[in-house]
Amino acid sequence: MEGYKYFNDYAINWIKRKAEATFFLCKTGYMGVSITQIGEGDIIVVLLEANVPFIVRKRDDYYALAGERFV
């Protein structure tokens, strides 16, 4: 439960710093918030030892990191 409290505090502080946060809905029904443009086809990933999920975007033959998100 301690990790959950840490995540909530971190998420609230992150959102307060980002005045232009965008809310989104995943195909699976999860809701999230993003500080940058998010679009159809973006992929939510959890990187090893990261505290938050990230978005990656498919480019020609690689994936580009688009930034952190909260889901």
Side-chain angles (χ1 to χ4, degrees):
M1 209 53 165
E2 181 62 30
Y4 182 74
K5 181 184 179 331
Y6 168 78
F7 178 80
N8 281 342
D9 291 344
Y10 183 82
I12 289 168
N13 288 330
W14 183 84
I15 292 168
K16 284 179 181 177
R17 292 190 317 250
K18 312 301 178 189
E20 297 180 11
T22 301
F23 290 90
F24 61 90
L25 181 64
C26 299
K27 286 182 184 179
T28 56
Y30 288 100
M31 293 183 294
V33 63
S34 171
I35 59 166
T36 58
Q37 192 76 17
I38 188 168
E40 188 172 341
D42 286 347
I43 301 168
I44 300 171
V45 298
V46 178
L47 303 175
L48 186 61
E49 297 195 26
N51 291 325
V52 296
F54 288 82
I55 294 293
V56 294
R57 292 192 178 122
K58 177 87 168 131
R59 299 292 185 220
D60 297 324
D61 59 345
Y62 66 94
Y63 289 88
L65 184 64
E68 64 186 16
R69 306 297 187 263
F70 289 98
V71 179

